[in-house]
Amino acid sequence: MSTQLSKHSFLLGITVLLVFGSCKTTYYQSAVTNKQMLEINNKVPEDTAIRNYILPYKNQLEDKMNEVLGYAPEALIKNRNLPESQLSNFFADALLAIGRKVDPEVSFSLATKDGIRAGIKQGDVTVGSIFEVMPFENYITILELKGTDVQVLADFIAETNGQPVGNVVTQIKDKKLLSFKIGGQDIDPNKTYKLATYDFIANGGDLVRGIGNPVSRVTTSERVREGLIAYVQQLTKEGKKVEAKLDGRVKIIE
């Protein structure tokens, strides 16, 4: 799958290069004088030579993006204001499964609500659908954390009114942590826990706390979207759909 997506990215890059490489101007200026604003609209004639040159690459790209991976019986809607959503649960569970392929000792998974960029529409789930969910060049990362650091992470999750988590059940009240269980067990400060996430978060993205000083770290060569594509394909092979339930894993107590 990584090879296919690399070819995919190559085609996109070639397309962009062809567009800009076809310009007649071949010199550079250190300064621009006599600036003039030129309006670009549908009155500007299309350059058919460039269009025809790019068209085969464009068609290949669209064919790849339209490749069907699975089926969603209902839409998984993005809503960052909810502590838990079907989309966040699906994403976190996928991340957990991907992480456990890298290291079977992974205990739980973490994403962020802002990191999931789009929902999944009802119907066929395509490669393009997954690119919309995770368009970034983020790589699957496994962090081994001390129990005391997991506690700091749990407090961060509470203060932000919940984040996407897998194999975790937590209760929050007034942005304070009431409980946080991994695999049904309370955090043991004397243990270490392996977390599946991605390098953006591991590098301090979205200001996540508690993960900046891991006992160990493994950043893989697998992009998150590549893992998601393989995950959805495996669901389809097993006769399963792209779906998730609200299971109370992140509960806000009023």
Side-chain angles (χ1 to χ4, degrees), residues 8 10 20 28 55 60 66 79 98 100 121 131 136 150 156 158 166 176 187 215 221 236 240 246 251:
H8 196 137
F10 174 76
F20 292 99
Y28 298 91
L55 188 59
Q60 288 182 54
N66 291 330
N79 188 336
I98 297 164
R100 284 178 170 170
K121 297 176 182 178
F131 265 76
F136 309 114
V150 174
F156 166 81
K176 301 293 183 182
I187 301 168
V215 175
S221 60
T236 301
K240 298 176 182 178
L246 298 177
K251 184 172 291 186

Side-chain angles (χ1 to χ4, degrees), residues 45-70:
E46 182 179 30
D47 190 321
T48 55
I50 292 178
R51 183 198 63 191
N52 293 337
Y53 203 91
I54 291 173
L55 188 59
Y57 302 101
K58 177 177 179 290
N59 290 341
Q60 288 182 54
L61 189 62
E62 288 179 347
D63 287 344
K64 183 60 188 175
M65 284 295 186
N66 291 330
E67 179 185 339
V68 176
L69 305 170

